[in-house]
Amino acid sequence: MNEFTKTLCPYCGVGCGLEVSPPAQHGKATNRDSEGTPTWRVRGDKSHPSSQGMVCVKGATIAESLDKNRLHYPMIRDSLDQEFRRVSWNEAFDIITQRMQTLRLKQETNSICMYGSGQFQTEDYYIAQKLLKGCLGTNNFDANSRLCMSSAVAGYIQSFGADGPPCCYDDLELTDCAFLIGTNTAECHPIIFNRLAKYHKKNRHVKMVVVDPRRTPTAEAADLHLAIRPGTDIDLLNGIAHLLMRWNYIDTLFMDECTSNFPAYAEVIRHYSPDVVASRCGISIEDLETAAKYWGKSKSVLSLWSMGVNQSSEGTAKVRTIINLHLMTGQIGKPGAGPFSLTGQPNAMGGREAGGLAHLLPGYRLVKNEQHRAEVEDFWGLERGKISPVPGLTAWDMITGLESGNVGLLWIAATNPAVSMPDLERTKKALLKSPFTIYQDAYYPTETSAYAHVLLPAAQWGEKTGIMTNSERRVTLCSAFRQPPREAKPDWEIFAEVGRRLGFEKEFAFNNSAEVYAEFVQLTRQRPCDMSGLSHEVLQTKGPTQWPHRKQDVLMRGREDAGKRLYTDLRFHTPDGRAKFGAYYSKGLAEPPDENYPFVLTTGRLYGHWHTQTRTGRIEKIRQMHPQPFIEIHPRDAATLGISDNQWLEVRSRRGITKFPAKVTKAISPGTVFVPMHWGKLWADDAEANALTHSEACPDSLQPELKACAVQLVPISVE
Ligand code: SF4
């Protein structure tokens, strides 16, 4: 028997395959944590097609976090100023279901909210949807993916008629031009970057363009780094389009046969002449022209993006403007080409498939679509009209709902909003007002556990078997390799038990997660994300597989690559089968700098840490790698303020105040400062990046502009 269990790294959306074996079976040196305790052994899975055996420091050290600060038992308290007391699961379930029943009897079901996570497995997501959207009849399920990639979802839907990144990781090694915008791939998606960087280095004809106000390690590797001013992405993209048109690098045949709405777009880009664009973006006309030539002359162009595009008050417009460039040059549906959003979380993609946002239903369906609701109602055996046609509260809506008294029960699972939400002081005040908050997580304490009335211990990575989908639509069976500690349970089992206790025995009569997944995939049949040919058993035998993957794909030989790329037939999911150009003028930042707040603050991630440090803060090697937060500032700005390296700056926005030691570096553009977003109250005093950010969101995706706000800087002395 193979001593290694195959699973997936539970951190980022790259989705690297891991193999894990028990501590007892290995030598002394490699299987101990920093305190000398034997740990599980983790290595890259060479057979996983996405990562081919590679892992970054996060994946390599993950085992050290398995037993640190785990939440072992359900706990409750009547008010936030009390200590928690341990209760049985039975008592915890009774308390939760009584609360829910009371709200239902008062006709306040719509005040029940759940805020979930891209850390969920697909089965967790699916059962949560069925409970809230189906059985309870409220669409108030949203996930932290709202803060991460909902602009990509909205952009794909509006341009192609359906969500879903069309590309695959093999395209990284097939493209002639990689165009990276708003993504520090080298630090945030390191294994994807490894594949691209190696290929780029070996093939001199391949061009890499990086668009980022910071000179990140990603930008260091580029042939061309465009350090645009924050908020000028659409100016740049429309400017490139203007030049592609002027120089006739467009694919007229593709546009005629496969797209719509080009005239409206052409009218917009007419206004983005190189001189205007270069001056708005703060780059040279020569660099703009070079970018356009790289794109126009390349046989295949692959664009990659992540939070720098998505976390914006014009996020959907930015996504569609990237897609426009692909449509006007026919760069989609072929090897090495296409618009490729990189998801932040390990199973944000699975959440999209299972309906894990407030406006979605399973199988890439929309709450607003009558036919979609009817299909799901029929499948779940509900009476017609049970699923509400109104999209539920989004992540930020839940915060404002707490403020206005419209949230009666908030259930937070596998996420840490007391660090990751924008406008943190406002967020925390709202959480304090919550009449009843359930917090379900593997770890305790976290910054959010301080706001809970009920704590539920969740099984985590390696302690439950389930499915995750990575950024290239590759679905992996993640097998459990150990028991959950003490009384921790898989998230889906907790949701299902609440459902049964609310009277939905039949709807939640599942014996294991394989049965949950088997039901879920039926809802994807003949949908864009068709994975009706997949099951735990098929994935166990066949290994990680991309969707679409239908029943007939399993049966037909030679169809193993059915899901490699989308739109190879150049037909899209829109009513007329054509991809639609989006016509957008640039609006810029929601909160531009001014006299009082003269700097633009941008936030981001570091190589070793993951999000709010719930795991990585408990791993010694990573803590040593990134011992404290900092603020990057350009030498010119530092000189104006009269500060040098390591001197402290108080950073003030209209919403909050923080303080950081300065890192004086030319990596950041003048007028802009950078702060990593990983530090909450557990790990440092007054260093929460989101104390400064605002909640202004994209009107289409409702994703907040976490990437930029206006700040002032004041030098201070710290004892
Ligand atoms: Fe895990 Fe992402 Fe690192 Fe891969 S690149 S090992 S998925 S954190």
Side-chain angles (χ1 to χ4, degrees):
M1 194 183 122
N2 191 341
E3 70 200 51
F4 286 95
T5 304
K6 284 184 186 290
T7 183
L8 209 62
C9 173
Y11 284 116
C12 83
V14 178
C16 297
L18 299 180
E19 293 181 322
V20 186
S21 66
Q25 297 184 8
H26 294 281
K28 294 172 191 163
T30 55
N31 303 311
R32 289 175 187 274
D33 68 14
S34 53
E35 288 155 17
T37 311
T39 64
W40 291 75
R41 184 183 177 200
V42 175
R43 68 182 188 192
D45 177 1
K46 290 192 175 137
S47 69
H48 197 289
S50 298
S51 50
Q52 303 164 1
M54 293 182 274
V55 285
C56 76
V57 70
K58 291 191 279 290
T61 56
I62 175 79
E64 193 175 329
S65 69
L66 273 169
D67 290 310
K68 299 250 178 87
N69 303 111
R70 292 298 301 272
L71 179 58
H72 286 136
Y73 307 103
M75 317 253 260
I76 66 161
R77 59 181 172 184
D78 294 327
S79 61
L80 300 187
D81 54 3
Q82 292 179 352
E83 294 295 311
F84 283 108
R85 67 181 170 84
R86 182 179 160 186
V87 292
S88 66
W89 270 108
N90 193 40
E91 197 178 337
F93 282 133
D94 274 351
I95 291 165
I96 292 167
T97 47
Q98 275 166 18
R99 276 273 175 172
M100 285 189 171
Q101 288 294 35
T102 305
L103 292 168
R104 292 174 82 200
L105 285 171
K106 284 167 40 185
Q107 311 284 321
E108 292 176 12
T109 307
N110 216 25
S111 76
I112 298 172
C113 300
M114 187 181 286
Y115 183 49
S117 165
Q119 294 280 325
F120 278 175
Q121 291 177 336
T122 301
E123 294 83 351
D124 304 320
Y125 265 120
Y126 178 69
I127 294 295
Q129 303 314 299
K130 195 172 181 182
L131 176 61
L132 269 88
K133 295 176 181 170
C135 299
L136 295 181
T138 173
N139 292 322
N140 292 340
F141 178 98
D142 213 42
N144 54 10
S145 316
R146 177 72 61 185
L147 311 180
C148 177
M149 53 70 205
S150 51
S151 296
V153 175
Y156 283 136
I157 292 175
Q158 290 180 11
S159 293
F160 299 145
D163 185 18
C167 312
C168 61
Y169 294 168
D170 287 354
D171 289 327
L172 298 161
E173 291 148 356
L174 292 166
T175 192
D176 286 337
C177 176
F179 185 87
L180 292 82
I181 176 164
T183 175
N184 180 7
T185 323
E187 291 196 86
C188 304
H189 296 93
I191 302 309
I192 283 182
F193 191 74
N194 281 1
R195 289 184 65 169
L196 176 63
K198 269 190 208 160
Y199 166 75
H200 175 239
K201 215 168 186 177
K202 267 196 206 152
N203 294 277
R204 296 186 72 83
H205 74 282
V206 175
K207 300 299 179 200
M208 194 195 299
V209 180
V210 172
V211 182
D212 197 312
R214 292 174 71 213
R215 191 159 183 87
T216 60
T218 313
E220 289 286 347
D223 299 292
L224 176 66
H225 172 210
L226 300 172
I228 60 168
R229 289 196 184 97
T232 60
D233 310 58
I234 291 179
D235 295 295
L236 176 79
L237 294 161
N238 282 348
I240 292 174
H242 182 106
L243 287 171
L244 291 171
M245 277 280 283
R246 183 188 285 180
W247 294 334
N248 200 23
Y249 283 128
I250 57 177
D251 187 336
T252 315
L253 186 59
F254 179 87
M255 283 205 294
D256 286 350
E257 296 298 317
C258 308
T259 70
S260 63
N261 203 36
F262 181 68
Y265 176 55
E267 172 56 25
V268 169
I269 59 178
R270 197 168 63 77
H271 300 278
Y272 286 82
S273 58
D275 52 333
V276 169
V277 170
S279 130
R280 281 190 199 158
C281 295
I283 58 172
S284 68
I285 292 178
E286 292 71 32
D287 280 353
L288 175 66
E289 288 177 344
T290 304
K293 273 182 195 147
Y294 283 167
W295 189 299
K297 288 184 173 178
S298 297
K299 286 200 182 99
S300 54
V301 184
L302 184 71
S303 57
L304 302 168
W305 76 91
S306 51
M307 302 318 132
V309 167
N310 295 336
Q311 289 180 332
S312 161
S313 56
E314 47 182 358
T316 306
K318 286 183 188 176
V319 169
R320 294 199 68 194
T321 309
I322 295 169
I323 293 172
N324 286 343
L325 291 179
H326 287 273
L327 297 183
M328 74 189 294
T329 52
Q331 293 289 358
I332 187 165
K334 61 182 188 179
F340 198 178
S341 60
L342 302 176
T343 39
Q345 298 217 61
N347 196 34
M349 287 286 291
R352 286 147 81 161
E353 295 150 12
L357 288 169
H359 63 297
L360 302 178
L361 289 170
Y364 275 9
R365 291 179 175 86
L366 298 171
V367 157
K368 277 186 174 169
N369 185 306
E370 189 177 356
Q371 190 189 330
H372 289 178
R373 289 196 307 279
E375 287 165 1
V376 178
E377 285 162 351
D378 291 351
F379 183 80
W380 281 343
L382 305 169
E383 71 269 26
R384 286 282 176 94
K386 178 78 191 216
I387 298 175
S388 166
V390 182
L393 299 183
T394 65
W396 184 252
D397 290 339
M398 290 181 197
I399 298 302
T400 57
L402 288 169
E403 289 175 338
S404 57
N406 290 328
V407 172
L409 183 152
L410 177 61
W411 192 336
I412 302 168
T415 184
N416 195 8
V419 183
S420 53
M421 280 282 186
D423 198 350
L424 263 190
E425 285 315 306
R426 188 171 164 194
T427 294
K428 289 178 192 174
K429 277 187 194 152
L431 288 170
L432 284 174
K433 280 187 158 186
S434 175
F436 190 71
T437 298
I438 305 161
Y439 185 57
Q440 180 172 314
D441 203 276
Y443 292 94
Y444 177 79
T446 71
E447 288 82 352
T448 302
S449 63
Y451 299 89
H453 299 92
V454 178
L455 297 176
L456 299 179
Q460 65 148 324
W461 172 78
E463 298 162 357
K464 57 183 182 179
T465 292
I467 298 295
M468 291 207 180
T469 307
N470 72 7
S471 289
E472 63 165 348
R473 292 171 284 102
R474 191 173 296 281
V475 184
T476 299
L477 175 68
C478 308
S479 298
F481 52 82
R482 63 179 228 154
Q483 289 296 314
R486 314 282 171 88
E487 295 188 8
K489 290 177 187 286
D491 297 274
W492 75 265
E493 284 188 21
I494 300 170
F495 304 144
E497 180 60 22
V498 169
R500 285 190 292 270
R501 285 176 183 237
L502 288 170
F504 303 103
E505 287 87 2
K506 183 171 55 70
E507 286 79 0
F508 296 104
F510 299 103
N511 293 304
N512 52 50
S513 58
E515 290 180 5
V516 177
Y517 192 68
E519 179 178 304
F520 159 65
V521 296
Q522 298 312 311
L523 267 173
T524 67
R525 192 184 296 278
Q526 295 188 343
R527 297 292 305 153
C529 60
D530 193 333
M531 55 192 90
S532 55
L534 295 179
S535 65
H536 281 208
E537 201 184 355
V538 166
L539 287 160
Q540 179 80 49
T541 315
K542 189 175 161 56
T545 303
Q546 286 173 283
W547 62 253
H549 195 86
R550 303 163 301 163
K551 200 102 184 162
Q552 50 270 50
D553 296 328
V554 183
L555 300 172
M556 287 167 64
R557 297 181 69 190
R559 294 273 313 196
E560 274 77 7
D561 279 349
K564 199 171 178 74
R565 286 180 197 90
L566 304 182
Y567 310 125
T568 49
D569 59 356
L570 306 185
R571 301 306 292 163
F572 298 87
H573 296 293
T574 49
D576 62 4
R578 292 166 176 266
K580 188 174 179 189
F581 280 98
Y584 296 97
Y585 292 97
S586 173
K587 292 191 181 132
L589 297 176
E591 187 182 65
D594 59 19
E595 233 174 56
N596 295 325
Y597 297 92
F599 289 89
V600 176
L601 170 93
T602 184
T603 65
R605 288 143 184 80
L606 304 175
Y607 171 62
H609 271 311
W610 173 252
H611 283 194
T612 64
Q613 301 195 47
T614 307
R615 277 200 190 98
T616 53
R618 292 170 165 111
I619 296 171
E620 192 53 32
K621 183 172 181 181
I622 293 178
R623 283 169 65 84
Q624 284 173 10
M625 187 180 274
H626 305 298
Q628 65 174 4
F630 55 84
I631 184 164
E632 281 185 2
I633 181 167
H634 190 271
R636 198 185 75 189
D637 295 328
T640 307
L641 291 166
I643 60 147
S644 52
D645 231 15
N646 289 320
Q647 269 187 271
W648 284 75
L649 281 172
E650 191 168 87
V651 187
R652 300 175 183 167
S653 78
R654 290 180 175 85
R655 294 150 296 278
I657 299 177
T658 55
K659 54 179 191 274
F660 303 96
K663 186 172 172 184
V664 181
T665 170
K666 284 187 181 160
I668 191 84
S669 306
T672 303
V673 289
F674 167 82
V675 163
M677 55 73 69
H678 305 292
W679 275 266
K681 287 281 182 209
L682 266 188
W683 309 106
D685 285 333
D686 303 323
E688 299 159 300
N690 286 324
L692 304 162
T693 55
H694 61 72
S695 59
E696 207 56 42
C698 168
D700 290 335
S701 68
L702 304 178
Q703 177 159 1
E705 188 162 277
L706 286 156
K707 271 287 171 185
C709 67
V711 295
Q712 55 177 248
L713 306 174
V714 181
I716 53 168
S717 59
V718 171
E719 295 305 311

